[in-house]
Amino acid sequence: MASLTRIIGEWTAPDFLSAVVAREGVDLDPAAITMITFLSADGPMRPSALAKKMVTGASNVSKVVARLSDSGMVDRIPDPVDARASLVNLTVAGHRVAQSFVRAGDGLVEDLLRDWSPDERTELVRMLAKLEQSTVSFSTQLRANHTRPEPSAPGDTEGAMQ
């Protein structure tokens, strides 16, 4: 498992993300890369939903949206559920950038597996699909059984590790 942890750590490191997409001629900061990736995968969403997915605050999301809006990659559209709210949406240019991320990722994998035999590549794909299935199943089960504890009063340490 140490190897998987190391791979995840390398692949999600901000400088690594920026360097990988730079191979496709895209110069974006890691937060912008992350936002475009989420919008490409999940479609338009409220800034509050982006903040939650990106594990950051509303202020940071606003700054990233402003930078991407200024560069023509995102715009705001009315929320069909609530006319008072807006959704952050990828523009055509934003979708092109998201596709460049896919090309960058494909190129990365090709470089990493360059010296692997066809059988090794096939086995990796088979095992990753199996790991993905197990992960999704476990994640669904874990989330279904997870309940958040009720907020306690300040100073209440019952059940807390001392």
Side-chain angles (χ1 to χ4, degrees):
M1 289 321 307
S3 294
L4 182 58
T5 300
R6 175 78 189 269
I7 291 168
I8 292 168
E10 290 289 333
W11 284 25
T12 58
D15 58 338
F16 184 82
L17 285 172
S18 295
V20 168
V21 301
R23 292 167 36 145
E24 286 294 320
V26 176
D27 182 23
L28 289 173
D29 61 274
I33 294 167
T34 302
M35 185 175 289
I36 289 172
T37 301
F38 285 138
L39 291 170
S40 177
D42 301 331
M45 64 181 77
R46 288 185 180 187
S48 58
L50 278 167
K52 184 174 180 179
K53 285 184 84 73
M54 293 175 67
V55 192
T56 191
S59 173
N60 189 44
V61 166
S62 293
K63 291 173 187 172
V64 177
V65 168
R67 288 194 307 271
L68 291 175
S69 181
D70 289 347
S71 63
M73 290 185 233
V74 302
D75 58 12
R76 289 182 179 263
I77 60 173
D79 185 336
V81 176
D82 182 351
R84 300 168 297 168
S86 65
L87 303 175
V88 179
N89 179 58
L90 279 183
T91 62
V92 171
H95 281 288
R96 279 196 300 268
V97 169
Q99 285 302 310
S100 75
F101 295 172
V102 173
R103 287 191 305 275
D106 289 348
L108 170 66
V109 171
E110 188 57 39
D111 286 345
L112 292 173
L113 303 183
R114 180 168 282 124
D115 297 330
W116 291 37
S117 72
D119 286 346
E120 289 171 322
R121 288 176 179 224
T122 300
E123 182 64 7
L124 175 64
V125 168
R126 187 185 74 73
M127 295 302 291
L128 284 174
K130 188 173 182 175
L131 179 61
E132 177 188 20
Q133 252 183 346
S134 296
T135 300
V136 170
S137 176
F138 183 76
S139 176
T140 301
Q141 179 184 13
L142 192 63
R143 287 183 173 116
N145 294 331
H146 178 72
T147 57
R148 293 187 183 265
E150 291 296 321
S152 57
D156 183 5
T157 58
E158 184 179 328
M161 294 187 71
Q162 305 270 328

